[in-house]
């Protein structure tokens, strides 16, 4: 096929960075971006990008520097995950679309710093978030993940310890298997792990 026309989503952002896009199973197009010292912003379209909603904030939390994660899933599900500060620590938050706006939950414990989240949805609609500990050693280092439970809770699991760099990536396949990849420091060099 051919690309359609280029549409303007937002033209008054003073310094927009890290744009993301996701299309829900109900054909809503969401475009999100980060602005320095502001919450993550978004607009959505229900008519193929011809028109866009007003500019809104995903939450009232100021997103920490770096990229964030966004994913769409079955049943119109959509989520955004990002790092923000709470209790003087970097924490992982996830904001799930409820049809009118986003409902936000902190999914890490406030005992240490965590960063670089991504997310995915399983074919059942269950949400998963992955992130890394900022610490390079100890019990809060390494790659972590959480899956949303039916009661809305997010029990956390540690996949592996040690120093992790950049995002911990998570993805679900059509059979419901969950896959993760990350960069780690092994024997003094950067290694890609799966």
């Amino acid at each position: 096929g051919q690309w359609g026309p280029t549409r303007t989503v937002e033209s008054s952002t003073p310094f927009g960075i890290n744009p993301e896009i996701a299309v829900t199973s109900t054909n809503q197009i969401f475009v999100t971006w980060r602005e320095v010292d502001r919450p993550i912003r978004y607009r959505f379209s229900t008519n193929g990008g011809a028109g866009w909603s007003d500019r809104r904030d995903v939450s009232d939390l100021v997103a920490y520097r770096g990229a964030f994660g966004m994913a769409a899933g079955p049943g119109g599900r959509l989520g955004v995950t990002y790092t923000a500060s709470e209790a003087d620590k970097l924490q992982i938050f996830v904001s799930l679309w409820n049809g009118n706006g986003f409902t936000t939950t902190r999914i890490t414990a406030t005992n240490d710093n965590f960063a670089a989240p991504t997310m995915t949805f399983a074919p059942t609609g269950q949400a998963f978030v992955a992130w890394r500990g900022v610490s390079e050693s100890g019990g809060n280092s390494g790659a972590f993940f959480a899956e949303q439970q039916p009661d809305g809770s997010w029990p956390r699991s540690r996949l592996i310890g040690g120093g992790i760099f950049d995002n911990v990536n998570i993805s679900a396949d059509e059979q419901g298997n969950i896959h993760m990849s990350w960069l780690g420091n092994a024997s003094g060099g950067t290694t890609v792990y799966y």
Side-chain angles (χ1 to χ4, degrees):
Q2 295 181 341
W3 291 104
T6 299
R7 310 284 191 184
T8 299
V9 177
E10 171 66 36
S11 60
S12 61
T13 295
F15 189 70
I17 54 178
N18 306 120
E20 293 276 348
I21 187 170
V23 181
T24 69
S25 60
T26 57
N27 293 319
Q28 285 184 294
I29 304 166
F30 283 79
V31 174
T32 53
W33 65 94
R34 195 173 65 79
E35 296 176 14
V36 176
D37 297 327
R38 291 204 46 92
I40 294 170
R41 318 296 301 268
Y42 74 97
R43 286 189 165 185
F44 64 88
S45 174
T46 58
N47 58 8
W52 295 89
S53 69
D54 57 328
R55 182 181 60 220
R56 304 174 186 178
D57 293 340
V58 168
S59 74
D60 60 355
L61 297 165
V62 174
Y64 187 68
R65 70 174 189 252
F68 56 93
M70 183 167 69
R77 298 208 71 195
L78 179 92
V80 180
T81 185
Y82 47 94
T83 305
S85 180
E86 183 175 295
D88 293 325
K89 299 285 185 185
L90 297 177
Q91 300 296 300
I92 304 302
F93 292 85
V94 63
S95 297
L96 297 175
W97 180 248
N98 61 26
N100 296 309
F102 286 91
T103 302
T104 300
T105 304
R106 177 176 47 81
I107 60 175
T108 49
T110 57
N111 61 340
D112 210 339
N113 293 297
F114 303 96
T118 62
M119 72 178 301
T120 191
F121 288 94
T124 60
Q126 189 171 20
F128 291 80
V129 174
W131 67 94
R132 69 176 172 87
V134 173
S135 298
E136 293 190 18
S137 62
N140 290 317
S141 69
F144 296 84
F145 69 95
E147 59 182 296
Q148 186 186 30
Q149 301 300 302
D151 66 359
S153 64
W154 291 83
R156 297 170 296 278
S157 298
R158 183 179 182 211
L159 184 66
I160 192 167
I164 304 288
F165 309 107
D166 208 17
N167 291 353
V168 175
N169 300 293
I170 192 165
S171 182
D173 64 29
E174 292 183 8
Q175 288 74 43
N177 300 305
I178 304 300
H179 307 265
M180 292 176 64
S181 68
W182 64 93
L183 295 174
N185 186 2
S187 305
T190 302
T191 303
V192 179
Y193 292 98
Y194 166 82

